[in-house]
Amino acid sequence: DIHKMREETAQAIDYYSRCEEAAKSAGDADLLAEVSADLAELHMREAERLAGRDEVAASAHAESYKYYLDLETKYVEDCTSRPARARSYRNRAKYARAHGDPSGAIGLYEKSLQNMDEGVASHQFLIPYAKALRLVGRSSEAIAQVRSVLAWSRQIGALRSEAIARQYLGLLLMEQLILGRSDAP
């Protein structure tokens, strides 16, 4: 995770791959689901970062992203961890949204939310859900989701989540002003 934060992708992939081997050796479905999710997310970000600059590398990362996303989905079936299931549905939903299926993504985000602990309104789950709602014309619901992230973030002092919620709320409200919509809650 430290290498991922520092954008040292090769090192992060190396360490995550070592974790994957250890999880396979242990036969631990929870760990396999978790490391597959980490690798899927890392490859997704790299594919996005390299798009338009290095199409060959971006394409390779996109293929790895899909490979690890499929592995995560497979391993989470035997997983006992609700947060791992929530993350898996969220990752699958992000893939659906990015590949032109916002309605399918909404169903997956809702399954993800059903597996989360009650009272948690993390930007990691609700902002992408709000984006999918917006894509199908459900802006009022999207705004309500973002506002719940904002309220939760303030309550627990999660500054990063608060900043992300404020930014996306601003974008949604500006879009409504530009499009002349007045259905915001």
Side-chain angles (χ1 to χ4, degrees):
D1 288 345
I2 290 170
H3 290 292
K4 183 171 77 172
M5 274 185 355
R6 292 181 178 164
E7 297 183 7
E8 297 167 344
T9 305
Q11 294 90 340
I13 290 171
D14 178 51
Y15 282 108
Y16 282 133
S17 296
R18 290 182 198 187
C19 291
E20 180 183 24
E21 290 306 314
K24 282 180 184 175
S25 295
D28 188 319
D30 288 5
L31 289 176
L32 285 165
E34 201 66 34
V35 74
S36 295
D38 289 334
L39 282 161
E41 291 168 7
L42 177 64
H43 284 292
M44 175 198 59
R45 285 189 183 99
E46 282 302 295
E48 290 172 349
R49 187 179 70 79
L50 295 169
R53 294 188 318 179
D54 185 342
E55 287 304 316
V56 172
S59 179
H61 281 290
E63 287 177 29
S64 293
Y65 163 43
K66 180 69 167 84
Y67 171 78
Y68 283 108
L69 182 63
D70 289 343
L71 271 183
E72 176 190 12
T73 301
K74 175 186 152 200
Y75 290 134
V76 86
E77 290 174 11
D78 298 323
C79 199
T80 59
S81 167
R82 288 183 69 228
R85 270 201 200 94
R87 185 179 185 191
S88 178
Y89 283 124
R90 181 206 59 199
N91 288 346
R92 185 60 67 182
K94 281 183 174 183
Y95 185 85
R97 189 186 80 225
H99 287 83
D101 184 12
S103 295
I106 288 170
L108 289 165
Y109 282 125
E110 289 169 351
K111 285 183 179 181
S112 175
L113 295 171
Q114 291 169 1
N115 282 281
M116 287 181 53
D117 293 333
E118 288 200 30
V120 174
S122 169
H123 76 271
Q124 295 168 321
F125 290 85
L126 293 179
I127 298 296
Y129 178 47
K131 289 178 182 180
L133 290 169
R134 183 192 143 269
L135 288 174
V136 297
R138 295 166 56 185
S139 294
S140 293
E141 292 173 69
I143 289 170
Q145 293 299 324
V146 175
R147 285 188 169 147
S148 71
V149 173
L150 186 57
W152 175 82
S153 301
R154 283 187 197 145
Q155 182 180 1
I156 67 161
L159 296 178
R160 182 170 181 259
S161 289
E162 182 179 349
I164 290 167
R166 285 184 183 282
Q167 178 187 20
Y168 200 63
L169 181 60
L171 291 172
L172 287 169
L173 294 173
M174 281 192 327
E175 180 181 61
Q176 283 196 327
L177 284 173
I178 291 168
L179 298 175
R181 293 184 187 150
S182 61
D183 62 342

